[in-house]
């Protein structure tokens, strides 16, 4: 229904008639579902889907409504990849994050509804098994799954801290070397909960390595360092693969969908899987995130009417890190972040200063053709790269992993900036902005699907068991 | 040491030499204490004090360093109560809140250190009683006090949500009718935890009422509405008693000190008190808040070099609401907020539109005398207040609770704005800004001390028991 008319009445800040009807029906239907969950055992998954839909409607409406407010408050930016460089609201990911956090907070009671009813009614008409010594003053206090509640709350804290970091960065342009550490601090709550709840620091080794190191390798405290690194890497990695309309939200949506697919593989096993709770938890966090992200994408897709800002990228990365760590599948998460890992590795020479790094490395818009081209970093004739760097650059160019220009004397005058988006443009020639975003998103999807396939099918070649087998392997991190 | 020289080298953004030495020694000493707590049972209170000191140093330094950054980002305001109306950084409460949240997050493992050691080492050399069936794979998972952890985490979430609200308000000037509700939503996590952990919804009744209503009155769901109202009232009430240099931070510090005093009364009883854990929890939250608030006051006291912004007021109110609710002494908290309650009640006619309400009601600075005078709201001769309102205004003026001016025809031309600060100026004549802040702070202290005295001594006249008696009364909310 959205955007059916060629020129919908949505240029301003109010919803069009069809959008209003759509959102009203969504919120109404979702509210009915939400109220109905109280008749059964709480049905947390149904409640979660309903809240995700409400989050979608709320986020879609609020981004529309708040545009002028954001511009007035100074959150605005020019879209450099359009002929007239329009000025549009920036940092709308903050709205997305705020709605998402609100949804998560409202959702808190639902997964525990069954336990709450059991605790308060004495469990008479519920199928909760309890022992008489647990009844204290008519309440089953000891039966309440406080550890699950603590997991859930720690996830919210880590995400909120990240939102505060993102907003701070959008406001103040925090220096790179400072902001790198903050997601590590934001991860403390989930690491503490991981420590007291699971404390599993062993990883399963591939069969070829088992004769030398045993079946399980206990990483000990290093495992926590590893998890903190996951929490620091995910937000930055989403933030690095950015710069064209829609790419930040689209990649996050692809990763979310793949994580949901992975969860579904565990939840749809023919027998109750030991990791069911972890993957339910992951769904509770991911579905509302998909809801608000789709709403944001409708505003941020080409041609963008809002920018998402650093807040969205950090927050999105932290959502993935949180479900990966607390759901015990941080290695699987790594398989879904291969394009981000590749982008980070490819960017390393510029990040570490071996090659000059301009402030922005997003692809260059060619106003004559209306297409995107690789942006470049230049060397004046007098200041050439060091010999070893020059050799490496020429080698990369020979391998079609870089585009360089040389003058008649054999000096390197310019090289394409080292990001995945520029590399894709080196390979696939000039592309329109939306086409570039679409192709990179499809790349993310294909790589991720192959990663999941590898995880669940090929992994049996080098690991002993998988979730479809009667697994004890899932007791350790996958 | 701070400000010893008449013109210290602190006009810029760097610390003076003496400040640098002070902060370095504080951080060093606190770190030593922090590391030493690991040798014993964690000593959470010592660790908390050490972290509060580090928070003080960090907050004091960061407010200094970030001043120009805030001004550049548009967070600045003119001090209307100074002759030259200097422009100074605004919203520095956000720094205070961020440092505080960081301290709380770093503190998470400390109160649970003993349990973590017991859980991981098997408790061999610790005095933790455990049963053999609780040992699972060498870890005492079931003994871990998850409910305490959940309490602590829910408090952090509520505070973070409030920080986000405050920053949003400082950025966008959220409408009053919207922002009123948000602390209520922010309180959901602590209410859920209250529900599953305690669920006590009865209040002890005064002896004169007991023949009619019984000893305990069960408020049921109304008790949750009451707690949500506490959470909504506290932030607004601090925000309403504001407008002159230092008053927001000073009143918060007085309330914090009184709450700490109240906690000490429970912790220093000659026998272990049943409410010990609640009051320890309260201390864990209050001491770091005192640390960062003192640091902010050093910058915000007359003549202010920074403003605190709405963030500080909301956040401070939420700290009090959180400890009051989760520590089960929301009624005692009310006794410490009497000046805020009085201010809100006195402001009601303006808030509800019976009397015109200008955008700002802070006292007026008289540039000729350099003193503060009551600010006024005016009626042009054609637009007089309604007859009933006029009668009430004249009555208030007769009772010395308002200052009004009338013209020769008996029309009311102006009346002082209805805030505690203006009323104090009506009573005590023109005062210099720092004197006014000091007097109102002392008022807060005296009223609060009397409140605590009433709570712990006079209460025995109308309630049966108190914390110094062998109390079962403390099992319900005090």
């Amino acid at each position: 229904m959205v955007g059916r008319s060629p020129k919908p009445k949505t240029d301003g800040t109010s919803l069009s008639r069809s959008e209003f009807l759509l959102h009203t029906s969504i919120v109404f239907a979702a509210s009915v579902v939400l109220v109905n969950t109280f008749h059964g055992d709480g049905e947390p998954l149904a409640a979660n889907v309903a809240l995700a839909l409400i989050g979608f409607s709320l986020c879609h409406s609020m981004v529309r409504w708040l545009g002028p407010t954001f511009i007035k408050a100074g959150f605005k930016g020019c879209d450099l990849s359009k002929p007239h460089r329009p000025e549009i609201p920036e940092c709308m990911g903050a709205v997305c994050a705020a709605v998402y956090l609100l949804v998560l907070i409202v959702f808190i009671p639902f997964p525990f509804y069954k336990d709450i009813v059991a605790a308060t009614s004495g469990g008479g008409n519920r199928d909760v098994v309890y022992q008489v010594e647990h009844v204290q003053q008519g309440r089953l206090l000891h039966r309440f799954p406080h550890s699950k509640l603590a997991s859930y709350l720690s996830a919210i804290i880590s995400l909120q801290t990240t939102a505060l970091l993102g907003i701070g960065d959008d406001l103040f342009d925090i220096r790179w070397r400072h902001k790198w550490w903050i997601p590590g601090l934001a991860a403390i709550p989930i690491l503490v909960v991981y420590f007291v709840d699971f404390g599993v620091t062993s990883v399963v080794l591939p069969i070829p390595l088992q004769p030398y190191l045993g079946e399980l390798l206990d990483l000990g405290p290093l495992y926590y360092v590893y998890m903190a690194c996951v929490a620091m890497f995910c937000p930055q990695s989403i933030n690095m693969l950015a710069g064209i309309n829609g790419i930040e939200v689209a990649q996050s949506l692809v990763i979310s969908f793949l994580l949901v697919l992975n969860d579904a593989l565990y939840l749809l096993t023919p027998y109750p899987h030991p990791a069911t709770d972890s993957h339910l938890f992951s769904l509770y966090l991911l579905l509302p995130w998909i809801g608000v992200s789709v709403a944001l994408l409708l505003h941020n897709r080409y041609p963008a009417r809002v920018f998402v800002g650093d807040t969205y990228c950090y927050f999105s990365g932290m959502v993935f890190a949180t479900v990966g760590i607390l759901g015990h599948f941080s290695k699987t998460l790594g398989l879904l972040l291969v394009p981000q890992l590749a982008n980070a590795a490819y960017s390393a020479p510029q990040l570490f200063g071996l090659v000059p790094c301009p402030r922005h490395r997003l692809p260059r818009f060619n106003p004559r053709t209306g297409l995107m081209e690789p942006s470049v970093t230049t060397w004046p004739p007098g200041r050439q790269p060091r010999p070893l760097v020059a050799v490496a650059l020429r080698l990369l160019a020979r391998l079609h992993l870089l585009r360089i220009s040389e003058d008649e004397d054999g000096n390197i005058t310019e090289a394409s900036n080292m990001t995945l988006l520029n590399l894709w443009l080196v390979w696939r020639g000039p592309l329109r902005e939306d086409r570039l975003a679409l192709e990179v998103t499809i790349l993310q999807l294909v790589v991720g699907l192959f990663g999941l396939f590898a995880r669940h099918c090929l992994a049996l070649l080098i690991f002993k068991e998988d979730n479809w087998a009667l697994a004890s392997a899932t007791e350790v991190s996958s």
Side-chain angles (χ1 to χ4, degrees), chain A:
Chain A
M1 290 169 87
V2 181
R4 190 176 41 181
S5 52
K7 183 78 176 173
K9 299 168 199 155
T10 57
D11 293 335
T13 61
S14 53
L15 299 171
S16 70
R17 190 183 176 81
S18 58
E19 283 173 330
F20 179 77
L21 282 174
L22 174 72
H23 289 315
T24 313
S25 359
I26 287 179
V27 170
F28 178 76
S31 306
V32 170
V33 172
L34 213 55
V35 170
N36 268 317
T37 59
F38 286 111
H39 293 157
D41 277 340
E43 308 293 357
L45 203 52
N48 191 266
V49 172
L51 280 170
L53 287 172
I54 292 176
F56 164 78
S57 287
L58 198 58
C59 184
H60 188 264
S61 311
M62 284 187 69
V63 170
R64 174 73 51 77
W65 292 332
L66 289 175
T69 315
F70 269 60
I71 286 184
K72 217 175 99 195
F75 292 109
K76 56 190 174 185
C78 289
D79 193 340
L80 302 178
S81 308
K82 302 289 176 299
H84 303 295
R85 302 196 165 192
E87 198 176 60
I88 57 178
E90 166 72 283
C91 193
M92 275 298 173
V95 175
C96 205
V99 171
Y100 176 72
L101 287 169
L102 201 64
V103 164
L104 282 200
I105 288 175
V106 171
F107 182 66
I108 293 176
F110 287 90
F112 307 104
Y113 179 73
K114 195 174 171 181
D115 303 290
I116 289 173
V117 168
T120 48
S121 77
N125 54 348
R126 306 289 179 185
D127 58 348
V128 177
V129 180
Y130 63 98
Q131 291 170 301
V132 71
E133 67 263 34
H134 285 143
V135 184
Q136 186 194 38
Q137 300 170 335
R139 293 165 55 82
L140 290 156
L141 294 182
H142 291 88
R143 299 290 303 169
F144 192 84
H146 276 108
S147 66
K148 268 200 252 175
L149 180 61
S151 275
Y152 193 79
L153 296 181
S154 70
I156 296 181
I157 293 177
S158 291
L159 292 171
Q160 274 187 333
T161 311
T162 311
L164 285 169
L165 159 70
I167 293 172
D169 189 32
D170 277 325
L171 278 175
F172 301 124
D173 274 329
I174 302 175
R175 280 179 223 161
W176 193 80
R177 66 173 185 275
H178 291 155
K179 70 188 179 197
W180 178 258
W181 291 102
I182 302 182
L185 291 171
I188 290 181
I190 51 178
L191 294 186
V192 170
V193 165
Y194 185 90
F195 184 78
V196 303
D197 270 10
F198 309 98
V200 178
T201 55
S202 306
V203 288
V204 185
L205 286 180
I207 291 175
L209 288 178
Q210 286 189 5
Y212 312 104
L213 294 165
E215 195 174 337
L216 289 174
L217 177 66
D218 190 0
L219 293 177
L222 278 183
Y223 196 76
Y224 292 92
V225 176
Y226 156 71
M227 287 192 290
C229 289
V230 169
M232 288 192 279
F233 174 74
C234 286
Q236 300 294 345
S237 71
I238 306 279
N239 202 25
M240 277 165 71
L241 186 50
I244 60 173
N245 289 174
I247 191 71
E248 301 92 346
V249 187
Q251 64 178 308
S252 298
L253 277 173
V254 168
I255 298 168
S256 304
F257 278 122
L258 291 169
L259 286 173
V260 167
L261 180 64
N262 183 48
D263 293 331
L265 289 177
Y266 286 88
L267 294 175
L268 299 177
T269 48
Y271 49 86
H273 194 275
T276 299
D277 272 354
S278 298
H279 289 279
L280 266 179
F281 175 84
S282 162
L283 281 185
Y284 296 159
L285 259 62
L286 287 171
L287 295 178
W289 184 241
I290 290 176
V292 295
S293 292
V294 169
L296 188 58
L297 185 60
L298 291 179
H299 295 290
N300 181 238
R301 66 179 174 178
Y302 179 88
R305 279 165 300 168
V306 305
F307 286 133
V308 299
D310 289 348
T311 311
Y312 183 85
C313 302
Y314 289 129
F315 199 88
S316 186
M318 202 63 183
V319 171
F320 304 142
T322 306
V323 300
I325 291 174
L326 288 180
H328 314 291
F329 49 82
S330 52
K331 292 209 297 294
T332 307
L333 176 64
L335 290 174
L336 304 183
L337 291 177
V338 165
Q340 280 75 19
L341 282 162
N343 189 43
Y346 184 53
S347 296
Q350 285 197 305
L351 295 184
F352 292 116
L354 295 175
V355 176
C357 185
R359 178 83 182 83
H360 292 291
R361 301 187 297 162
L362 69 166
R364 196 174 70 83
F365 174 69
N366 185 335
R368 204 169 44 76
T369 59
L371 301 177
M372 307 298 288
E373 297 170 359
S375 63
V376 294
T377 179
T378 55
W379 283 272
R383 294 193 56 190
Q384 277 291 295
R386 270 171 286 171
L388 212 63
V389 174
V391 169
L393 291 177
R394 287 202 175 86
L395 181 66
L396 282 175
R398 185 74 58 85
L399 295 168
H400 294 288
L401 290 173
L402 196 70
R403 177 182 292 167
I404 60 174
S405 308
E406 291 170 294
D407 61 9
E408 305 102 31
D409 307 336
N411 289 327
I412 296 178
T413 54
E414 56 181 39
S416 58
N417 277 316
M418 296 167 130
T419 70
L420 192 61
L421 292 176
N422 285 315
L423 182 60
W424 194 259
L425 286 171
V426 167
W427 288 343
R428 301 259 313 141
L431 289 173
R432 212 173 73 158
E433 194 176 2
D434 51 347
R435 178 83 195 176
L436 174 61
L438 183 68
E439 290 189 3
V440 173
T441 306
I442 291 175
L443 172 75
Q444 176 98 44
L445 183 65
V446 170
V447 171
L449 281 175
F450 179 76
L452 279 191
F453 174 73
R455 162 74 190 80
H456 290 284
C457 304
L458 300 186
L460 288 177
L461 301 180
I462 54 167
F463 290 109
K464 269 197 193 142
E465 291 141 332
D466 185 57
N467 56 310
W468 286 82
L470 268 174
S472 67
T474 51
E475 293 270 320
V476 300
S477 171
S478 52

